[in-house]
Amino acid sequence: MSASSTPSTLYIGLMSGTSLDGVDGVLADFQGQSVSATLAAAYVPFPPHLRADLMALQAAGPNEIEREAMAANALAVHYADCVAQLLLQTGKSAAAIRMVGVHGQTIRHRPELGFTRQTNNAALLAELSGIDIVADFRSRDVAAGGQGAPLVPAFHRALFGDAAQSRVVVNIGGIANISILPAGKEEAYGFDTGPGNALMDGWIHLHQQRSYDINGDWGASGQVHPGLLTQLREEAFFHAPPPKSSGRDLFHLDWLQAALLRTGQPVAPADVQATLAMLTASTIADAVKLHAADAGQVYVCGGGAENALLMRLLGQQLEGRAEVRSTAALGIAPQHVEALAFAWLAQRFDQRLAGNLPAVTGAHGPRVLGALYPA
């Protein structure tokens, strides 16, 4: 923490999501509960071996405890690198930063069994950075009977809520989630809608050894396969009422391969990619039409906002009900929103204020989220 008699208002947020591509970090100045300025942003990509290690931890395997511990140590080093870059950009010292909020890397998400696991070595990060670390934000909500996800709707309400217009904020990372922000109200609602980029990323890596489909170009070269889309959309998760959350525990390539087998005919790889883009767009649109029919504006953040095909399909699936734009239109780059959310959640922890919304997660009540690792 800052040695000054006046507490610092500077917080860092670090996010590494289900896309498993790297760490997004922001350094922000908070006045009250609002972001007064985003002072710096940084991105630290994961090397292929770390991405492979984290991907392998998504499923049961031998020697998991040691493999997870080693991956957590490597993550802490990458998180510390991201923090160092933010400090270098702004000329700030570690002592000037109040806290770092770090999400960790989700490797299992099983709220129905009473746990969610975001691997991280927050103690090592505190040692490396010299800054107080707040981590493990999701576990307390799960302990209180909630899904532990999504946590961003409370932040979306604070940052993007509008007095005159109902809005929806869609975060498309590996998994997609929506935040419903009614006009002029303090309430916010939200839930996971299903796969975001995870299946598309996995499929293009399998066939082209690329980590993601740039602009959705490969998917745009194919045609949506109606039979496969029907098989995919039969998944019970899509039809379950909120609160609900999901992850790679459900939406993975084996799940996709099983649906491909059920179609009973071969499907060209580019057509599969096109169909996966339509799956993401259509399930998001279904959620908006069913739960936020009055929303006139839909703002997209996360990596999916950079996928031109996905953005076009989402607009088509909404059938003109709402304007679809990136959160850049509101002044926040789409890749910075989630990292900002965890800076905000660190501030909420610091002030001992609840970070969850029970109406979103299903928890028994508001809870202060996170665990502190002092520098």
Side-chain angles (χ1 to χ4, degrees):
M1 287 187 190
S2 170
S4 170
S5 58
T6 302
S8 172
T9 58
L10 302 180
Y11 292 81
I12 287 174
L14 302 175
M15 179 67 192
S16 51
T18 48
S19 292
L20 292 169
D21 53 354
V23 184
D24 286 295
V26 295
L27 194 165
D29 189 3
F30 285 85
Q31 300 294 332
Q33 297 303 309
S34 299
V35 179
S36 62
T38 301
L39 304 182
Y43 173 70
V44 176
F46 290 153
H49 65 85
L50 178 56
R51 188 178 192 276
D53 290 345
L54 293 169
M55 186 69 75
L57 287 167
Q58 306 289 316
N63 202 23
E64 283 185 281
I65 293 175
E66 181 172 331
R67 289 191 294 115
E68 184 193 350
M70 297 305 293
N73 288 348
L75 274 172
V77 172
H78 284 74
Y79 292 147
D81 184 11
C82 194
V83 170
Q85 289 190 31
L86 294 168
L87 297 180
L88 182 63
Q89 285 183 45
T90 57
K92 302 292 184 183
S93 68
I97 309 302
R98 179 71 177 177
M99 287 180 176
V100 175
V102 57
H103 173 261
Q105 186 66 54
T106 299
I107 56 172
R108 304 291 168 84
H109 183 66
R110 301 297 302 273
E112 74 279 8
L113 298 179
F115 78 92
T116 184
R117 182 83 174 175
Q118 286 72 49
T119 192
N120 179 22
N121 189 337
L124 179 57
L125 180 56
E127 290 290 332
L128 294 173
S129 67
I131 306 171
D132 286 3
I133 306 300
V134 186
D136 194 22
F137 289 95
R138 299 188 187 276
S139 292
R140 183 62 191 275
D141 185 87
V142 173
Q147 292 283 309
L151 296 181
V152 290
F155 173 68
H156 289 162
R157 178 185 65 188
L159 191 64
F160 299 129
D162 186 76
Q165 179 72 263
S166 292
R167 292 173 168 174
V168 170
V169 178
V170 184
N171 176 52
I172 308 179
I175 300 297
N177 58 69
I178 65 169
S179 298
I180 301 166
L181 313 176
K185 296 183 180 179
E186 289 300 311
E187 296 92 351
Y189 311 97
F191 50 92
D192 287 356
T193 59
N197 301 313
L199 293 173
M200 290 184 286
D201 291 350
W203 189 250
I204 197 169
H205 186 267
L206 179 65
H207 287 274
Q208 299 186 4
Q209 292 73 55
R210 290 193 284 155
S211 58
Y212 67 100
D213 188 2
I214 299 172
N215 297 322
D217 289 344
W218 188 43
S221 74
Q223 299 292 323
V224 174
H225 189 283
L228 175 60
L229 183 63
T230 297
Q231 290 293 333
L232 296 171
R233 285 176 55 89
E234 287 180 353
E235 168 59 49
F237 178 86
F238 299 129
H239 309 288
K244 59 181 179 178
S245 61
S246 191
R248 289 181 182 272
D249 306 81
L250 173 57
F251 296 112
H252 46 68
L253 288 185
D254 286 347
W255 178 84
L256 171 60
Q257 295 285 8
L260 282 165
L261 286 174
R262 292 196 301 273
T263 64
Q265 56 184 292
V267 183
D271 292 349
V272 174
Q273 189 77 350
T275 305
L276 292 175
M278 180 60 82
L279 176 69
T280 293
S282 64
T283 50
I284 292 170
D286 287 349
V288 173
K289 289 186 282 189
L290 183 60
H291 297 279
D294 65 333
Q297 298 170 330
V298 172
Y299 292 95
V300 182
C301 59
E306 308 297 332
N307 185 320
L309 172 63
L310 193 53
M311 294 289 280
R312 176 168 58 81
L313 291 175
L314 179 56
Q316 289 175 358
Q317 291 296 299
L318 286 171
E319 302 169 320
R321 295 167 183 253
E323 181 182 19
V324 179
R325 304 171 73 186
S326 158
T327 55
L330 298 174
I332 305 294
Q335 290 286 37
H336 299 166
V337 174
E338 273 205 295
L340 268 175
F342 283 90
W344 184 82
L345 283 167
Q347 186 208 32
R348 300 287 290 184
F349 173 91
D350 193 18
Q351 298 179 355
R352 298 302 186 266
L353 297 172
N356 65 334
L357 291 176
V360 171
T361 66
H364 300 316
R367 297 290 190 271
V368 176
L369 306 179
L372 176 65
Y373 293 78

mmCIF file of all heavy atoms in Angstrom, residues 28-52:
data_model
loop_
_atom_site.group_PDB
_atom_site.id
_atom_site.type_symbol
_atom_site.label_atom_id
_atom_site.label_comp_id
_atom_site.label_asym_id
_atom_site.label_seq_id
_atom_site.Cartn_x
_atom_site.Cartn_y
_atom_site.Cartn_z
ATOM 1 N N ALA A 28 -5.828 1.877 -13.110
ATOM 2 C CA ALA A 28 -6.924 2.835 -13.148
ATOM 3 C C ALA A 28 -6.972 3.658 -11.867
ATOM 4 O O ALA A 28 -6.565 3.205 -10.796
ATOM 5 C CB ALA A 28 -8.256 2.117 -13.360
ATOM 6 N N ASP A 29 -7.484 4.861 -12.023
ATOM 7 C CA ASP A 29 -7.704 5.762 -10.901
ATOM 8 C C ASP A 29 -9.196 5.776 -10.604
ATOM 9 O O ASP A 29 -10.008 6.071 -11.489
ATOM 10 C CB ASP A 29 -7.215 7.169 -11.268
ATOM 11 C CG ASP A 29 -7.212 8.124 -10.085
ATOM 12 O OD1 ASP A 29 -7.537 7.689 -8.957
ATOM 13 O OD2 ASP A 29 -6.893 9.306 -10.286
ATOM 14 N N PHE A 30 -9.545 5.435 -9.373
ATOM 15 C CA PHE A 30 -10.949 5.392 -8.970
ATOM 16 C C PHE A 30 -11.255 6.564 -8.053
ATOM 17 O O PHE A 30 -10.561 6.801 -7.064
ATOM 18 C CB PHE A 30 -11.254 4.089 -8.221
ATOM 19 C CG PHE A 30 -11.339 2.885 -9.106
ATOM 20 C CD1 PHE A 30 -10.196 2.184 -9.457
ATOM 21 C CD2 PHE A 30 -12.550 2.441 -9.587
ATOM 22 C CE1 PHE A 30 -10.267 1.069 -10.270
ATOM 23 C CE2 PHE A 30 -12.632 1.329 -10.407
ATOM 24 C CZ PHE A 30 -11.485 0.632 -10.741
ATOM 25 N N GLN A 31 -12.324 7.269 -8.379
ATOM 26 C CA GLN A 31 -12.859 8.296 -7.489
ATOM 27 C C GLN A 31 -14.246 7.823 -7.082
ATOM 28 O O GLN A 31 -15.129 7.687 -7.924
ATOM 29 C CB GLN A 31 -12.926 9.653 -8.192
ATOM 30 C CG GLN A 31 -11.571 10.161 -8.679
ATOM 31 C CD GLN A 31 -10.622 10.474 -7.536
ATOM 32 O OE1 GLN A 31 -11.055 10.823 -6.432
ATOM 33 N NE2 GLN A 31 -9.316 10.324 -7.780
ATOM 34 N N GLY A 32 -14.428 7.536 -5.800
ATOM 35 C CA GLY A 32 -15.672 6.904 -5.384
ATOM 36 C C GLY A 32 -15.725 5.514 -5.971
ATOM 37 O O GLY A 32 -14.755 4.755 -5.916
ATOM 38 N N GLN A 33 -16.857 5.174 -6.586
ATOM 39 C CA GLN A 33 -17.011 3.856 -7.192
ATOM 40 C C GLN A 33 -16.856 3.910 -8.708
ATOM 41 O O GLN A 33 -17.115 2.929 -9.399
ATOM 42 C CB GLN A 33 -18.383 3.269 -6.824
ATOM 43 C CG GLN A 33 -18.559 3.026 -5.341
ATOM 44 C CD GLN A 33 -17.484 2.116 -4.779
ATOM 45 O OE1 GLN A 33 -17.223 1.039 -5.299
ATOM 46 N NE2 GLN A 33 -16.851 2.552 -3.704
ATOM 47 N N SER A 34 -16.429 5.065 -9.230
ATOM 48 C CA SER A 34 -16.312 5.220 -10.670
ATOM 49 C C SER A 34 -14.854 5.271 -11.101
ATOM 50 O O SER A 34 -13.984 5.710 -10.342
ATOM 51 C CB SER A 34 -17.025 6.512 -11.118
ATOM 52 O OG SER A 34 -18.402 6.454 -10.804
ATOM 53 N N VAL A 35 -14.616 4.849 -12.328
ATOM 54 C CA VAL A 35 -13.280 4.952 -12.903
ATOM 55 C C VAL A 35 -13.116 6.365 -13.432
ATOM 56 O O VAL A 35 -13.807 6.775 -14.366
ATOM 57 C CB VAL A 35 -13.092 3.938 -14.048
ATOM 58 C CG1 VAL A 35 -11.701 4.068 -14.658
ATOM 59 C CG2 VAL A 35 -13.336 2.519 -13.568
ATOM 60 N N SER A 36 -12.224 7.136 -12.819
ATOM 61 C CA SER A 36 -12.022 8.498 -13.307
ATOM 62 C C SER A 36 -11.062 8.536 -14.482
ATOM 63 O O SER A 36 -11.136 9.419 -15.325
ATOM 64 C CB SER A 36 -11.503 9.401 -12.184
ATOM 65 O OG SER A 36 -10.242 8.949 -11.710
ATOM 66 N N ALA A 37 -10.148 7.557 -14.547
ATOM 67 C CA ALA A 37 -9.214 7.507 -15.666
ATOM 68 C C ALA A 37 -8.553 6.142 -15.730
ATOM 69 O O ALA A 37 -8.233 5.556 -14.688
ATOM 70 C CB ALA A 37 -8.141 8.587 -15.531
ATOM 71 N N THR A 38 -8.372 5.632 -16.934
ATOM 72 C CA THR A 38 -7.542 4.455 -17.159
ATOM 73 C C THR A 38 -6.168 4.965 -17.573
ATOM 74 O O THR A 38 -6.007 5.536 -18.652
ATOM 75 C CB THR A 38 -8.134 3.552 -18.250
ATOM 76 O OG1 THR A 38 -9.448 3.145 -17.866
ATOM 77 C CG2 THR A 38 -7.269 2.322 -18.459
ATOM 78 N N LEU A 39 -5.191 4.785 -16.713
ATOM 79 C CA LEU A 39 -3.889 5.407 -16.913
ATOM 80 C C LEU A 39 -2.977 4.597 -17.829
ATOM 81 O O LEU A 39 -2.094 5.157 -18.476
ATOM 82 C CB LEU A 39 -3.204 5.619 -15.560
ATOM 83 C CG LEU A 39 -4.000 6.445 -14.530
ATOM 84 C CD1 LEU A 39 -3.186 6.618 -13.264
ATOM 85 C CD2 LEU A 39 -4.404 7.800 -15.100
ATOM 86 N N ALA A 40 -3.163 3.289 -17.851
ATOM 87 C CA ALA A 40 -2.302 2.448 -18.689
ATOM 88 C C ALA A 40 -2.963 1.092 -18.880
ATOM 89 O O ALA A 40 -3.791 0.663 -18.077
ATOM 90 C CB ALA A 40 -0.923 2.273 -18.041
ATOM 91 N N ALA A 41 -2.578 0.433 -19.967
ATOM 92 C CA ALA A 41 -3.028 -0.932 -20.247
ATOM 93 C C ALA A 41 -1.851 -1.711 -20.807
ATOM 94 O O ALA A 41 -0.990 -1.151 -21.486
ATOM 95 C CB ALA A 41 -4.180 -0.934 -21.236
ATOM 96 N N ALA A 42 -1.811 -2.997 -20.503
ATOM 97 C CA ALA A 42 -0.728 -3.852 -20.982
ATOM 98 C C ALA A 42 -1.274 -5.245 -21.257
ATOM 99 O O ALA A 42 -2.284 -5.661 -20.681
ATOM 100 C CB ALA A 42 0.401 -3.920 -19.953
ATOM 101 N N TYR A 43 -0.593 -5.952 -22.134
ATOM 102 C CA TYR A 43 -0.953 -7.328 -22.463
ATOM 103 C C TYR A 43 0.311 -8.167 -22.493
ATOM 104 O O TYR A 43 1.307 -7.792 -23.123
ATOM 105 C CB TYR A 43 -1.654 -7.393 -23.820
ATOM 106 C CG TYR A 43 -1.902 -8.796 -24.317
ATOM 107 C CD1 TYR A 43 -2.853 -9.602 -23.692
ATOM 108 C CD2 TYR A 43 -1.202 -9.320 -25.395
ATOM 109 C CE1 TYR A 43 -3.081 -10.899 -24.129
ATOM 110 C CE2 TYR A 43 -1.433 -10.600 -25.852
ATOM 111 C CZ TYR A 43 -2.376 -11.394 -25.213
ATOM 112 O OH TYR A 43 -2.608 -12.675 -25.640
ATOM 113 N N VAL A 44 0.285 -9.295 -21.781
ATOM 114 C CA VAL A 44 1.417 -10.223 -21.745
ATOM 115 C C VAL A 44 0.921 -11.576 -22.258
ATOM 116 O O VAL A 44 0.128 -12.248 -21.583
ATOM 117 C CB VAL A 44 1.987 -10.368 -20.313
ATOM 118 C CG1 VAL A 44 3.103 -11.407 -20.287
ATOM 119 C CG2 VAL A 44 2.491 -9.022 -19.803
ATOM 120 N N PRO A 45 1.330 -11.982 -23.451
ATOM 121 C CA PRO A 45 0.856 -13.261 -23.996
ATOM 122 C C PRO A 45 1.466 -14.443 -23.252
ATOM 123 O O PRO A 45 2.579 -14.355 -22.727
ATOM 124 C CB PRO A 45 1.327 -13.222 -25.447
ATOM 125 C CG PRO A 45 2.517 -12.325 -25.431
ATOM 126 C CD PRO A 45 2.256 -11.291 -24.375
ATOM 127 N N PHE A 46 0.716 -15.534 -23.214
ATOM 128 C CA PHE A 46 1.252 -16.772 -22.663
ATOM 129 C C PHE A 46 2.123 -17.452 -23.714
ATOM 130 O O PHE A 46 1.722 -17.549 -24.881
ATOM 131 C CB PHE A 46 0.133 -17.731 -22.269
ATOM 132 C CG PHE A 46 -0.673 -17.303 -21.075
ATOM 133 C CD1 PHE A 46 -1.994 -17.722 -20.939
ATOM 134 C CD2 PHE A 46 -0.136 -16.502 -20.081
ATOM 135 C CE1 PHE A 46 -2.755 -17.355 -19.846
ATOM 136 C CE2 PHE A 46 -0.892 -16.113 -18.979
ATOM 137 C CZ PHE A 46 -2.199 -16.545 -18.864
ATOM 138 N N PRO A 47 3.291 -17.971 -23.330
ATOM 139 C CA PRO A 47 4.050 -18.799 -24.262
ATOM 140 C C PRO A 47 3.296 -20.099 -24.523
ATOM 141 O O PRO A 47 2.478 -20.533 -23.704
ATOM 142 C CB PRO A 47 5.365 -19.038 -23.519
ATOM 143 C CG PRO A 47 5.031 -18.872 -22.076
ATOM 144 C CD PRO A 47 3.939 -17.845 -22.017
ATOM 145 N N PRO A 48 3.547 -20.738 -25.664
ATOM 146 C CA PRO A 48 2.796 -21.953 -26.013
ATOM 147 C C PRO A 48 2.833 -23.032 -24.941
ATOM 148 O O PRO A 48 1.823 -23.712 -24.706
ATOM 149 C CB PRO A 48 3.472 -22.414 -27.306
ATOM 150 C CG PRO A 48 4.020 -21.163 -27.908
ATOM 151 C CD PRO A 48 4.458 -20.323 -26.751
ATOM 152 N N HIS A 49 3.972 -23.209 -24.261
ATOM 153 C CA HIS A 49 4.048 -24.289 -23.272
ATOM 154 C C HIS A 49 3.157 -24.005 -22.072
ATOM 155 O O HIS A 49 2.546 -24.923 -21.501
ATOM 156 C CB HIS A 49 5.498 -24.517 -22.835
ATOM 157 C CG HIS A 49 6.112 -23.366 -22.092
ATOM 158 N ND1 HIS A 49 5.959 -23.187 -20.723
ATOM 159 C CD2 HIS A 49 6.863 -22.325 -22.524
ATOM 160 C CE1 HIS A 49 6.598 -22.080 -20.355
ATOM 161 N NE2 HIS A 49 7.153 -21.547 -21.416
ATOM 162 N N LEU A 50 3.030 -22.729 -21.653
ATOM 163 C CA LEU A 50 2.161 -22.416 -20.527
ATOM 164 C C LEU A 50 0.699 -22.565 -20.927
ATOM 165 O O LEU A 50 -0.112 -23.098 -20.160
ATOM 166 C CB LEU A 50 2.437 -20.998 -20.015
ATOM 167 C CG LEU A 50 1.551 -20.528 -18.853
ATOM 168 C CD1 LEU A 50 1.617 -21.480 -17.665
ATOM 169 C CD2 LEU A 50 1.928 -19.108 -18.430
ATOM 170 N N ARG A 51 0.363 -22.114 -22.123
ATOM 171 C CA ARG A 51 -1.007 -22.285 -22.606
ATOM 172 C C ARG A 51 -1.368 -23.768 -22.652
ATOM 173 O O ARG A 51 -2.474 -24.159 -22.244
ATOM 174 C CB ARG A 51 -1.165 -21.652 -23.989
ATOM 175 C CG ARG A 51 -2.605 -21.616 -24.474
ATOM 176 C CD ARG A 51 -2.718 -20.939 -25.836
ATOM 177 N NE ARG A 51 -4.113 -20.668 -26.164
ATOM 178 C CZ ARG A 51 -4.936 -21.542 -26.701
ATOM 179 N NH1 ARG A 51 -4.513 -22.777 -26.964
ATOM 180 N NH2 ARG A 51 -6.188 -21.220 -26.970
ATOM 181 N N ALA A 52 -0.431 -24.596 -23.115
ATOM 182 C CA ALA A 52 -0.683 -26.045 -23.183
ATOM 183 C C ALA A 52 -0.851 -26.628 -21.785
ATOM 184 O O ALA A 52 -1.726 -27.478 -21.549
ATOM 185 C CB ALA A 52 0.453 -26.738 -23.924
#
